[in-house]
Amino acid sequence: AYYMAVVAKHASVEWGVEFDYVESMNEPLANWWVSTGTQEGCHFGLEAQAIAILSLRHALNKQNLFDMVVTASDENTYDDGLRAWLSYNSTVKGVVGKVNVHGYQQET
């Protein structure tokens, strides 16, 4: 979280690049990510997701990036996105400004 916030601040100050949104996870409920894999991603259980989201908001605030919106959780299916969202308590939901989900799910 700290690294992402510092990079976002540096991009703003040094390059004039402003980010509207920031997200620290990609398909976090997926359990197929391995260190030797060839696709990006990193597993975060639901409790770890909540901690990461709150940590990211805190780190952004410390860099005075109050307007940068935290998004979550960028799951690869709508069902997992909903599962993640429903698992968050009101504090976590309060710092998520946008919910992202991949569109890989098809109805069966």
Side-chain angles (χ1 to χ4, degrees):
Y2 172 79
Y3 176 78
M4 292 180 75
V6 168
V7 169
K9 181 70 169 194
H10 181 84
S12 174
V13 171
E14 298 297 324
W15 307 320
V17 175
E18 301 288 336
F19 297 100
D20 295 325
Y21 306 100
V22 64
E23 181 174 57
S24 60
M25 299 171 282
N26 180 51
E27 301 179 0
L29 283 180
N31 60 6
W32 57 77
W33 303 120
V34 295
S35 63
T36 57
T38 59
Q39 184 169 343
E40 79 289 347
C42 183
H43 178 78
F44 282 77
L46 295 170
E47 189 173 309
Q49 284 188 36
I51 292 167
I53 291 165
L54 293 173
S55 295
L56 181 55
R57 178 73 270 158
H58 177 74
L60 292 169
N61 290 351
K62 288 193 79 149
Q63 295 296 319
N64 296 316
L65 297 171
F66 301 104
D67 293 333
M68 189 172 294
V69 176
V70 173
T71 67
S73 64
D74 222 353
E75 300 294 350
N76 70 330
T77 66
Y78 307 124
D79 288 346
D80 279 348
L82 179 60
R83 187 171 128 217
W85 179 254
L86 293 175
S87 76
Y88 303 153
N89 65 34
S90 60
T91 302
V92 175
K93 287 179 180 178
V95 302
V96 174
K98 182 179 175 192
V99 175
N100 288 342
V101 177
H102 292 39
Y104 301 141
Q105 183 172 345
Q106 296 179 0
E107 295 300 317
T108 56

